[in-house]
């Protein structure tokens, strides 16, 4: 580590404004490919100009000639449109309560990763062009001009924030630095500055329905392979359908669950659970993605990708939607959908036939989280478990930032775990509202920044290490597909003997099914027969 850093005890020798960012392999995510940007720009309602090949390491980023005017106009529009942004720009008192709450700061020691500083990168430009004090006093009032160097700094640090909102829990004013990061990313997209790990999945999702770019027949094949696996293990063959008009429920989950380990086992868990209760539901090969990379891009993309799920629900004529284990899908549903897309009035209030509970909390979104759904089934005695079937697991639970902080889903997964597995909590300042991010959310789970990811995931890994050493924990359960992918790399590095799983995998492991011919499944759904 070089330069000013609390991790090394080095004392900054110059004003933060005078420290330029230096891009080198490993400290930035690759820029978006030109064809992905051009594709997104061609879509109605979206605006992704300036597609080109470029590199952050180049001096010249090939920005539009009038890039500065574009950025300042974009900022002005957003200040007028979003009251929250104006408040966040004006009301920080620099108390520093947020400073050591960010996992990127804790993992890198870089002062510009303190949430207060991350926001200051934008606030300084805001002061310069939009406040009287900044216009008159300039740098003395903490103002600075928008320059190419500032723009590069924005790119560096808006992609070293996972928009996890942990800092906002500790801010006495409730300043949500995640929303500042979102604005920084939006502004950068106005001049063609974005990363490929976000824009390629966003473009795939818009084009084929899912992040992976899986064609409908491939998506269908993948789910059918999982049906075969469940049958081989339990003797029960889940009955499934695709794009079935008139089904009562549309089920949507992140495509990662039907594509890669360990999510595959979570998807097998959904199939087993739904079969056990005889649910009348269908999968869609078009709305084949719960995740919404628009959340990491801009409001328009977020709105468009969310609308796709509801358009499919309307086309199929279902009554409501059940959503799988995903983080950002649920943040969009709970925090933004009502304002952006409006309530889903054309669907019915979710009332699953078994046991008939009215999910009042989903009256507007018409979408029930799989953990709410499962916890309700358990509470009404509709599922039978043999907890000893999970005796190979000693679990702990990771609250995904989005499900915990953005939708308040904290008790249901715990209630489920109580019934299906032996598990323990991590230290209290690392769970529930205070949960530490996996370190690679918001589209940062790309391999070229692996060292950064392992650093930013250190606080979470450290809490897992604690329960591993104290309680022999060997499994980290969660309800988010990105977490399942990112925590796997994080555990491989920091706690190599701890696996990662979805909560629904543990549910299906322990479930006793009517008519089952289940063998000795020493590893639950992971058992290789
Ligand atoms: S905690 Fe809030 S008010 Fe205090 S420095 Fe951080 S953002 Fe500013
Ligand atoms: S939202 Fe999360 S990653 Fe971003 S500054 Fe706050 S704590 Fe750090």
């Amino acid at each position: 580590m070089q330069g000013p850093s609390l991790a090394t005890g080095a004392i900054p020798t110059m004003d933060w404004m005078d420290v330029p960012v230096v891009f080198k392999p490993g400290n930035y995510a690759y820029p978006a490919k030109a064809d992905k940007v051009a594709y997104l720009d061609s879509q109605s309602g979206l605006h992704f100009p300036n597609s080109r090949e470029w590199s952050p390491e180049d001096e010249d980023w090939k920005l539009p000639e009038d890039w500065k005017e574009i950025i300042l106009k974009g900022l002005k529009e957003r200040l007028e449109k979003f009251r929250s942004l104006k408040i966040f720009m004006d009301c920080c008192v620099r108390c520093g309560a947020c400073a050591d709450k960010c996992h990127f700061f804790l993992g890198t020691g870089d002062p510009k990763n303190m949430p207060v500083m991350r926001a200051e990168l934008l606030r300084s430009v805001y002061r310069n062009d939009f406040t009287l004090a900044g216009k008159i006093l300039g740098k003395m009032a903490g103002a600075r001009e928008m320059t190419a160097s500032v723009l590069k700094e924005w790119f560096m640090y808006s992609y070293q924030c996972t928009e996890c909102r942990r800092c906002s829990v500790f801010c006495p004013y409730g300043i949500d630095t995640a929303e500042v990061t979102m604005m920084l990313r939006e502004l950068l997209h106005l001049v063609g500055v974005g990363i490929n790990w976000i824009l390629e999945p966003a473009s795939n999702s818009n084009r084929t329905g899912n992040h992976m770019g899986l064609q409908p027949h491939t998506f269908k094949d993948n789910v059918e392979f999982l049906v075969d696996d469940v049958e081989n293990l339990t003797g029960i063959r889940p009955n499934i359908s695709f794009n079935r008009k008139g089904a009562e429920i549309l089920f949507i989950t992140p495509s990662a669950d039907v594509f890669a380990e360990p999510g595959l086992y979570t998807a097998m868990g959904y199939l087993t659970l739904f079969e056990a209760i005889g649910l009348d539901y269908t999968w869609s090969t078009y709305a084949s993605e719960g995740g919404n990379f628009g959340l990491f891009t801009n409001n328009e993309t977020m709105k468009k990708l969310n609308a796709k799920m509801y358009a499919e629900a309307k086309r199929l004529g279902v009554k409501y939607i059940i959503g799988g284990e995903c983080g950002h899908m649920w943040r969009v549903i709970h925090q933004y959908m009502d304002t952006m897309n409006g309530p889903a009035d054309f669907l019915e209030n979710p009332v699953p036939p078994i046991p008939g509970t009215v999910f009042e909390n989903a009256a507007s979104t018409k979408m029930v989280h799989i953990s709410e759904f499962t916890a309700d089934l358990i509470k009404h005695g509709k599922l039978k478990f043999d907890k000893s079937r999970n005796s190979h697991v000693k679990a702990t639970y990771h609250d995904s930032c989005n499900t915990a902080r953005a939708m308040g889903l904290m008790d249901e997964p715990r209630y489920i775990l109580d019934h299906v597995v032996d598990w323990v909590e991590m230290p209290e300042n690392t769970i529930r509202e205070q949960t530490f991010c996996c370190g690679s959310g918001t589209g940062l789970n790309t391999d070229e920044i692996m060292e950064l990811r392992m650093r930013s995931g250190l606080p979470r890994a450290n809490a897992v290490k604690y329960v591993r050493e104290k309680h022999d924990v060997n499994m980290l359960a969660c309800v988010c597909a990105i977490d399942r992918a990112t925590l796997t790399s994080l555990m491989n590095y920091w706690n190599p003997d701890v696996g990662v799983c979805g909560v629904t995998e543990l549910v299906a492991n322990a479930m006793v099914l009517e008519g089952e011919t289940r063998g000795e499944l020493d590893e639950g759904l992971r058992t290789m027969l």
Side-chain angles (χ1 to χ4, degrees), residues 283-298:
W283 297 73
S284 166
T285 57
Y286 301 100
S288 48
E289 179 62 69
N292 187 333
F293 271 45
L295 176 67
F296 317 146
T297 309
N298 59 29

PDB file of all heavy atoms in Angstrom, residues 283-298:
ATOM      1  N   TRP A 283     -42.591 -20.927 -14.415  1.00  0.00           N
ATOM      2  CA  TRP A 283     -41.372 -20.163 -14.673  1.00  0.00           C
ATOM      3  C   TRP A 283     -41.585 -19.394 -15.972  1.00  0.00           C
ATOM      4  O   TRP A 283     -42.396 -19.808 -16.815  1.00  0.00           O
ATOM      5  CB  TRP A 283     -40.166 -21.087 -14.874  1.00  0.00           C
ATOM      6  CG  TRP A 283     -39.771 -21.939 -13.719  1.00  0.00           C
ATOM      7  CD1 TRP A 283     -40.426 -23.045 -13.253  1.00  0.00           C
ATOM      8  CD2 TRP A 283     -38.607 -21.789 -12.890  1.00  0.00           C
ATOM      9  NE1 TRP A 283     -39.750 -23.593 -12.192  1.00  0.00           N
ATOM     10  CE2 TRP A 283     -38.617 -22.852 -11.950  1.00  0.00           C
ATOM     11  CE3 TRP A 283     -37.542 -20.874 -12.857  1.00  0.00           C
ATOM     12  CZ2 TRP A 283     -37.620 -23.021 -10.986  1.00  0.00           C
ATOM     13  CZ3 TRP A 283     -36.555 -21.036 -11.902  1.00  0.00           C
ATOM     14  CH2 TRP A 283     -36.589 -22.086 -10.973  1.00  0.00           C
ATOM     15  N   SER A 284     -40.861 -18.322 -16.151  1.00  0.00           N
ATOM     16  CA  SER A 284     -40.895 -17.621 -17.436  1.00  0.00           C
ATOM     17  C   SER A 284     -39.515 -17.700 -18.080  1.00  0.00           C
ATOM     18  O   SER A 284     -38.504 -17.505 -17.409  1.00  0.00           O
ATOM     19  CB  SER A 284     -41.266 -16.152 -17.244  1.00  0.00           C
ATOM     20  OG  SER A 284     -40.973 -15.434 -18.427  1.00  0.00           O
ATOM     21  N   THR A 285     -39.488 -17.988 -19.384  1.00  0.00           N
ATOM     22  CA  THR A 285     -38.192 -17.978 -20.073  1.00  0.00           C
ATOM     23  C   THR A 285     -37.868 -16.584 -20.605  1.00  0.00           C
ATOM     24  O   THR A 285     -36.832 -16.372 -21.219  1.00  0.00           O
ATOM     25  CB  THR A 285     -38.189 -18.971 -21.247  1.00  0.00           C
ATOM     26  OG1 THR A 285     -39.252 -18.638 -22.126  1.00  0.00           O
ATOM     27  CG2 THR A 285     -38.334 -20.405 -20.771  1.00  0.00           C
ATOM     28  N   TYR A 286     -38.766 -15.632 -20.376  1.00  0.00           N
ATOM     29  CA  TYR A 286     -38.525 -14.248 -20.824  1.00  0.00           C
ATOM     30  C   TYR A 286     -38.183 -13.351 -19.640  1.00  0.00           C
ATOM     31  O   TYR A 286     -37.202 -12.613 -19.689  1.00  0.00           O
ATOM     32  CB  TYR A 286     -39.752 -13.728 -21.590  1.00  0.00           C
ATOM     33  CG  TYR A 286     -40.050 -14.608 -22.780  1.00  0.00           C
ATOM     34  CD1 TYR A 286     -41.053 -15.564 -22.736  1.00  0.00           C
ATOM     35  CD2 TYR A 286     -39.259 -14.536 -23.928  1.00  0.00           C
ATOM     36  CE1 TYR A 286     -41.289 -16.409 -23.801  1.00  0.00           C
ATOM     37  CE2 TYR A 286     -39.481 -15.387 -24.995  1.00  0.00           C
ATOM     38  CZ  TYR A 286     -40.499 -16.322 -24.928  1.00  0.00           C
ATOM     39  OH  TYR A 286     -40.705 -17.161 -25.977  1.00  0.00           O
ATOM     40  N   ALA A 287     -39.010 -13.420 -18.597  1.00  0.00           N
ATOM     41  CA  ALA A 287     -38.643 -12.749 -17.344  1.00  0.00           C
ATOM     42  C   ALA A 287     -37.833 -13.758 -16.541  1.00  0.00           C
ATOM     43  O   ALA A 287     -38.237 -14.214 -15.483  1.00  0.00           O
ATOM     44  CB  ALA A 287     -39.895 -12.319 -16.585  1.00  0.00           C
ATOM     45  N   SER A 288     -36.684 -14.114 -17.088  1.00  0.00           N
ATOM     46  CA  SER A 288     -35.879 -15.186 -16.502  1.00  0.00           C
ATOM     47  C   SER A 288     -34.752 -14.626 -15.634  1.00  0.00           C
ATOM     48  O   SER A 288     -33.701 -15.239 -15.501  1.00  0.00           O
ATOM     49  CB  SER A 288     -35.305 -16.071 -17.622  1.00  0.00           C
ATOM     50  OG  SER A 288     -34.718 -15.260 -18.619  1.00  0.00           O
ATOM     51  N   GLU A 289     -34.990 -13.448 -15.091  1.00  0.00           N
ATOM     52  CA  GLU A 289     -33.974 -12.813 -14.246  1.00  0.00           C
ATOM     53  C   GLU A 289     -34.656 -11.983 -13.171  1.00  0.00           C
ATOM     54  O   GLU A 289     -35.475 -11.109 -13.489  1.00  0.00           O
ATOM     55  CB  GLU A 289     -33.075 -11.908 -15.099  1.00  0.00           C
ATOM     56  CG  GLU A 289     -32.003 -11.172 -14.322  1.00  0.00           C
ATOM     57  CD  GLU A 289     -31.023 -12.146 -13.656  1.00  0.00           C
ATOM     58  OE1 GLU A 289     -30.274 -12.797 -14.391  1.00  0.00           O
ATOM     59  OE2 GLU A 289     -31.034 -12.251 -12.417  1.00  0.00           O
ATOM     60  N   GLY A 290     -34.329 -12.246 -11.924  1.00  0.00           N
ATOM     61  CA  GLY A 290     -34.843 -11.409 -10.856  1.00  0.00           C
ATOM     62  C   GLY A 290     -33.922 -10.216 -10.625  1.00  0.00           C
ATOM     63  O   GLY A 290     -34.368  -9.123 -10.288  1.00  0.00           O
ATOM     64  N   GLY A 291     -32.631 -10.436 -10.793  1.00  0.00           N
ATOM     65  CA  GLY A 291     -31.658  -9.371 -10.549  1.00  0.00           C
ATOM     66  C   GLY A 291     -31.894  -8.192 -11.472  1.00  0.00           C
ATOM     67  O   GLY A 291     -32.442  -8.342 -12.559  1.00  0.00           O
ATOM     68  N   ASN A 292     -31.483  -7.007 -11.033  1.00  0.00           N
ATOM     69  CA  ASN A 292     -31.723  -5.801 -11.823  1.00  0.00           C
ATOM     70  C   ASN A 292     -30.463  -4.944 -11.809  1.00  0.00           C
ATOM     71  O   ASN A 292     -30.258  -4.130 -10.902  1.00  0.00           O
ATOM     72  CB  ASN A 292     -32.915  -5.037 -11.232  1.00  0.00           C
ATOM     73  CG  ASN A 292     -33.333  -3.864 -12.083  1.00  0.00           C
ATOM     74  OD1 ASN A 292     -32.516  -3.287 -12.807  1.00  0.00           O
ATOM     75  ND2 ASN A 292     -34.590  -3.485 -11.995  1.00  0.00           N
ATOM     76  N   PHE A 293     -29.601  -5.136 -12.804  1.00  0.00           N
ATOM     77  CA  PHE A 293     -28.362  -4.368 -12.859  1.00  0.00           C
ATOM     78  C   PHE A 293     -28.611  -2.904 -13.224  1.00  0.00           C
ATOM     79  O   PHE A 293     -27.684  -2.102 -13.214  1.00  0.00           O
ATOM     80  CB  PHE A 293     -27.362  -5.015 -13.826  1.00  0.00           C
ATOM     81  CG  PHE A 293     -26.470  -6.044 -13.164  1.00  0.00           C
ATOM     82  CD1 PHE A 293     -27.002  -6.992 -12.304  1.00  0.00           C
ATOM     83  CD2 PHE A 293     -25.096  -6.060 -13.392  1.00  0.00           C
ATOM     84  CE1 PHE A 293     -26.196  -7.933 -11.676  1.00  0.00           C
ATOM     85  CE2 PHE A 293     -24.275  -7.001 -12.764  1.00  0.00           C
ATOM     86  CZ  PHE A 293     -24.822  -7.940 -11.907  1.00  0.00           C
ATOM     87  N   GLY A 294     -29.866  -2.592 -13.524  1.00  0.00           N
ATOM     88  CA  GLY A 294     -30.203  -1.189 -13.723  1.00  0.00           C
ATOM     89  C   GLY A 294     -29.987  -0.397 -12.443  1.00  0.00           C
ATOM     90  O   GLY A 294     -29.635   0.777 -12.472  1.00  0.00           O
ATOM     91  N   LEU A 295     -30.166  -1.046 -11.300  1.00  0.00           N
ATOM     92  CA  LEU A 295     -29.953  -0.381 -10.012  1.00  0.00           C
ATOM     93  C   LEU A 295     -28.531   0.150  -9.906  1.00  0.00           C
ATOM     94  O   LEU A 295     -28.266   1.133  -9.234  1.00  0.00           O
ATOM     95  CB  LEU A 295     -30.241  -1.363  -8.862  1.00  0.00           C
ATOM     96  CG  LEU A 295     -29.984  -0.880  -7.437  1.00  0.00           C
ATOM     97  CD1 LEU A 295     -30.939   0.241  -7.034  1.00  0.00           C
ATOM     98  CD2 LEU A 295     -30.109  -2.026  -6.446  1.00  0.00           C
ATOM     99  N   PHE A 296     -27.595  -0.509 -10.568  1.00  0.00           N
ATOM    100  CA  PHE A 296     -26.182  -0.109 -10.486  1.00  0.00           C
ATOM    101  C   PHE A 296     -25.794   0.834 -11.634  1.00  0.00           C
ATOM    102  O   PHE A 296     -24.628   1.171 -11.807  1.00  0.00           O
ATOM    103  CB  PHE A 296     -25.266  -1.332 -10.565  1.00  0.00           C
ATOM    104  CG  PHE A 296     -25.732  -2.502  -9.734  1.00  0.00           C
ATOM    105  CD1 PHE A 296     -25.510  -3.809 -10.163  1.00  0.00           C
ATOM    106  CD2 PHE A 296     -26.376  -2.311  -8.530  1.00  0.00           C
ATOM    107  CE1 PHE A 296     -25.941  -4.880  -9.408  1.00  0.00           C
ATOM    108  CE2 PHE A 296     -26.811  -3.379  -7.767  1.00  0.00           C
ATOM    109  CZ  PHE A 296     -26.592  -4.676  -8.213  1.00  0.00           C
ATOM    110  N   THR A 297     -26.795   1.207 -12.440  1.00  0.00           N
ATOM    111  CA  THR A 297     -26.502   1.933 -13.679  1.00  0.00           C
ATOM    112  C   THR A 297     -27.162   3.311 -13.671  1.00  0.00           C
ATOM    113  O   THR A 297     -26.492   4.317 -13.505  1.00  0.00           O
ATOM    114  CB  THR A 297     -27.019   1.118 -14.889  1.00  0.00           C
ATOM    115  OG1 THR A 297     -26.528  -0.208 -14.790  1.00  0.00           O
ATOM    116  CG2 THR A 297     -26.578   1.748 -16.190  1.00  0.00           C
ATOM    117  N   ASN A 298     -28.479   3.318 -13.898  1.00  0.00           N
ATOM    118  CA  ASN A 298     -29.229   4.564 -13.799  1.00  0.00           C
ATOM    119  C   ASN A 298     -30.714   4.254 -13.624  1.00  0.00           C
ATOM    120  O   ASN A 298     -31.148   3.106 -13.795  1.00  0.00           O
ATOM    121  CB  ASN A 298     -28.973   5.504 -14.989  1.00  0.00           C
ATOM    122  CG  ASN A 298     -29.348   4.874 -16.306  1.00  0.00           C
ATOM    123  OD1 ASN A 298     -30.241   4.025 -16.384  1.00  0.00           O
ATOM    124  ND2 ASN A 298     -28.657   5.285 -17.361  1.00  0.00           N
TER     125      ASN A 298
END
